[in-house]
Each structure stands twice: as C-alpha cells, then as structure tokens.
Amino acid sequence: MPSDTDAPLVGVLALQGAFEEHQACLEAAGCRTRQVRTVQDMKDLDGIVLPGGESTAMGLIGTSSVGSDGRNMWAALQEFTSRKPTWGTCAGMILLAEQCVGASAVIENGQALIGGMDILVCRNYFGSQVSSFEMATPPPPPLQSGDDNNSNKDNPPYPGVFIRAPAILSAGPTVEILGRVVATPCRQAAVVLEELEKKISNGEKVVQMKVLDALERKSSQEITYRVVVKEHSTTTLSEDEKKEVNVSDNNELRLELPGAADGSNAREVICAVRKDNLLCTAFHPELTNDYRWHEYFASMVRSSKS
C-alpha cells in the first residue's frame, strides 16, 4: 500500500464482491485504500469504488446496516456520492443507476438503488455466470485533455471482462458516454426488453422492473423458449405516431432498445459513462492487469482533492 500520506485515500465498498481486487489495482495506480463496511469507514475518504459482485446482496446488507449516527449505509452513500468521486463497476454501476430493469424477482420492493447517475440499466444483459467473456472495449479518456503524450489516438482498446454484466440502454443528456459495444442480449434480457418497450410505447415511465420468465409453459410437459426478435427501430417516430403512443418530444426513454436474443440482431449498448464526479463501467477492470481505468479514476480523485 502506498505510504505517501498525500496520496488520495479511496474506499472500496466491501459488503460483497471483488473489493480486494480493486484495492490492488488502485494501489498500483498510486492510491491508498480502505475497505468500507460501515458508515464510520467512510470518514475522510477522497473517493469510493462500488465493486462488481451481486447487487441484490449488496442492497440487502447496505440498507440494513445502521451507523452510530442512525443512518444506514445506503443513506450515507447517497450523501457521499452526491459530492465525491465514485466509481461503480458492474454491480456497482447498477447501484448508481436511476433506473433498473431485470431486477431480482425475490426482492419484494425491488433492487435497492443508491442512484445519482441518469441511466437506464438492464441487469444481467450479457447472460449468466457461465456466459462470462472478454471483449475489446473503448479505452478510458486521456487523463488530461490536450496532453499529446496521453491521447486516446494511439491508445489500444481495453480488455473488458463481462461477468453477468449489465448494459446501459439509455443515458440522460448530462451523462457523458465514454464507451459503447455491439452486443446481443441474453434470452432472459431480451424478454425484459420486449416488455419494457411495451411500457414505453404506452407512455409509462419505468424506474424498476423485475426479471421476467423467458419460458412459455403450455403444459407440464411442454416448455419452450419465448421468441424475441426486434426488426424495427423505435427511435424515429412521426408526429402522428408520437400522439398515438403518447410520447412527448422530450421523453428521454424513447430509444431503440437492444433486440434479438438469437444472435442475428445485435445492437449497440453503452458500457461506460461519466457524470461530474460519478463514473460507471459495465465490465470488471479490477480483473485485468491493465490499470488504465483505475488510473483514470485516480486522476478524478486527485483533481477533486486539489
């Protein structure tokens, strides 16, 4: 661990997930680190990372653990993330989202979200644990704009590790999109997107929506997968069509939802975003030996600290 007391002190939420791996990467990027399990552990932090793992488990633990000031972890994190650098990776990205679909069906009140990032996230978009994979993703932005020695022009793609990963379906106008990938949703996610599109067409504002069954059960002996294929765009509507489905000109949820689960209609989704002090990535930078995203977040923390 860096001994320089001037090095930024970054906490890593350690309720569940890949927190030790993040610590190692942050320390390689020149930060001091601290595991955060209580509200008291957040004292004097310059920034915090919400790691990959199981967002439902983190929410259950975080909303039930109460500090000496009477606040639970979620309330304390909402206050912290409103003013200091915060990075959510995979599950951590879900926690920072304002809207989430495909949330766990076993949680009565839905996924516990910290919020703050104006994005619509589809949980487990890329599939189950056994569907984990690595793919090239856009590299992080230069640490300092205008620095020719730190330009993305010659910056190679970043090795994105996707494990039960979410995808960002849409981002608000104040959110800076840092990376996109072309990917097909898993069958379960495709069913969720089909239902989401129906709700959007009906003029509904969706904040949370639980996972839906991807199977059709006609009898106890006959079970088949639901077929979900999108062959049309919903991004461009005529004025008459807008009136028909009750969609206003400034409706941010009017978008082309990622489509088919049969491999023939992959769509572009967002995998990295930033808004002011908040950073989100759908993949797991802590599971690589490439520290560029950790160096980028460390530069955000140093800039905030100074």
Side-chain angles (χ1 to χ4, degrees):
M1 180 182 295
S3 58
D4 185 0
T5 56
D6 290 332
L9 177 60
V10 178
V12 183
L13 188 66
L15 301 181
Q16 191 269 343
F19 48 88
E20 291 181 340
E21 290 84 352
H22 265 300
Q23 283 186 278
C25 294
L26 287 165
E27 289 166 11
C31 299
R32 296 176 294 141
T33 66
R34 176 193 297 161
Q35 293 183 7
V36 176
R37 292 188 174 86
T38 67
V39 174
Q40 288 71 28
D41 291 335
M42 298 169 63
K43 183 179 180 181
D44 300 326
L45 293 180
D46 298 310
I48 196 167
V49 172
L50 311 181
E54 175 48 62
S55 60
T56 305
M58 292 182 194
L60 289 172
I61 299 170
T63 52
S64 61
S65 56
V66 179
S68 59
D69 60 357
R71 294 184 300 169
N72 64 29
M73 280 291 294
W74 251 224
L77 283 168
Q78 285 172 334
E79 193 277 329
F80 185 97
T81 60
S82 68
R83 57 188 177 85
K84 290 194 175 184
T86 302
W87 179 16
T89 64
C90 196
M93 182 181 82
I94 295 172
L95 298 179
L96 289 176
E98 289 288 342
Q99 299 165 271
C100 174
V101 297
S104 174
V106 302
I107 307 299
E108 182 177 354
N109 296 321
Q111 171 77 56
L113 301 175
I114 295 168
M117 183 69 83
D118 184 16
I119 54 176
L120 170 60
V121 167
C122 181
R123 192 171 178 266
N124 293 345
Y125 177 92
F126 293 96
S128 63
Q129 192 86 7
V130 296
S131 303
S132 302
F133 64 96
E134 180 178 317
M135 71 183 298
T137 63
L143 302 187
Q144 295 178 350
S145 60
D147 186 347
D148 292 336
N149 295 323
N150 194 23
S151 171
N152 267 357
K153 182 173 63 175
D154 300 316
N155 208 357
Y158 190 88
V161 177
F162 292 80
I163 302 175
R164 293 184 63 196
I168 301 172
L169 304 180
S170 69
T174 61
V175 175
E176 180 184 5
I177 297 173
L178 303 181
R180 301 177 188 265
V181 294
V182 175
T184 302
C186 71
R187 189 175 298 276
Q188 187 77 68
V191 173
V192 170
L193 296 181
E194 181 186 47
E195 184 65 22
L196 175 61
E197 188 174 53
K198 292 177 183 177
K199 291 180 178 294
I200 292 172
S201 296
N202 290 332
E204 298 181 43
K205 180 175 176 58
V206 178
V207 175
Q208 287 202 46
M209 194 172 78
K210 294 183 179 181
V211 68
L212 300 174
D213 197 345
L215 301 177
E216 289 183 335
R217 293 176 171 83
K218 298 179 181 179
S219 69
S220 59
Q221 286 78 34
E222 188 176 359
I223 298 177
T224 60
Y225 280 109
R226 287 175 61 179
V227 177
V228 182
V229 178
K230 298 296 179 191
E231 296 180 346
H232 64 280
S233 168
T234 60
T235 53
T236 305
L237 297 179
S238 68
E239 291 302 314
D240 289 340
E241 288 172 325
K242 286 182 179 181
K243 293 176 182 178
E244 182 179 346
V245 297
N246 192 29
V247 176
S248 62
D249 289 331
N250 61 355
N251 189 337
E252 297 298 333
L253 285 180
R254 172 49 58 186
L255 59 120
E256 182 177 352
L257 292 175
D262 62 359
S264 66
N265 195 15
R267 301 297 178 89
E268 188 176 66
V269 293
I270 304 166
C271 64
V273 292
R274 179 178 176 180
K275 179 184 178 183
D276 302 326
N277 62 303
L278 300 180
L279 176 67
C280 289
T281 55
F283 45 88
H284 289 261
E286 76 280 8
L287 300 183
T288 75
N289 292 322
D290 189 328
Y291 302 134
R292 282 178 288 167
W293 276 106
H294 287 85
E295 290 166 352
Y296 177 74
F297 182 67
S299 73
M300 287 176 55
V301 178
R302 292 190 185 97
S303 177
S304 173
K305 185 179 179 183
S306 64

